[in-house]
Every structure is written in C-alpha cells, then in structure tokens.
Amino acid sequence: MTQSEPAKPGDDAPPGTPGTGENLCPRCAGSGRVEAESCPDCNGTGKVISGIGGG
C-alpha cells in the first residue's frame, strides 16, 4: 500500500499514517462484497486501514 492511495470510507486514517496498518474490513469480513454489492466501507478491496495496538 502506498501513500498515494486514497483513503476509503472505512479507513481509520489515511494510508501510510504511522501507527496504522492494513486490516480486513469488518463490514464485509474481507470479501469486498455486502449483499451482492461492492462493500461501501472498503470500496470492494476487502481491506481497510486501522490503528495497530500499543498503549
């Protein structure tokens, strides 16, 4: 994933943001589809950017 990729609606942060990583989309469980349509959260990729552990 590169910084030039646009953020998707389900992303917690823009791609390339420190402290984030690629994860399976929780809405479609990584399939990219919701009820025979492209998942609106991941734009059909099955992946979103989310914060990674730490504390």
Side-chain angles (χ1 to χ4, degrees):
M1 181 168 274
T2 64
Q3 257 185 324
S4 62
E5 278 188 54
K8 297 176 288 302
D11 288 345
D12 289 340
T17 302
T20 65
E22 202 171 71
N23 201 0
L24 290 179
C25 176
R27 185 167 188 176
C28 68
S31 72
R33 312 287 294 169
V34 175
E35 297 180 11
E37 299 287 327
S38 182
C39 178
D41 285 0
C42 66
N43 290 341
T45 65
K47 300 174 187 171
V48 293
I49 303 298
S50 45
I52 55 176

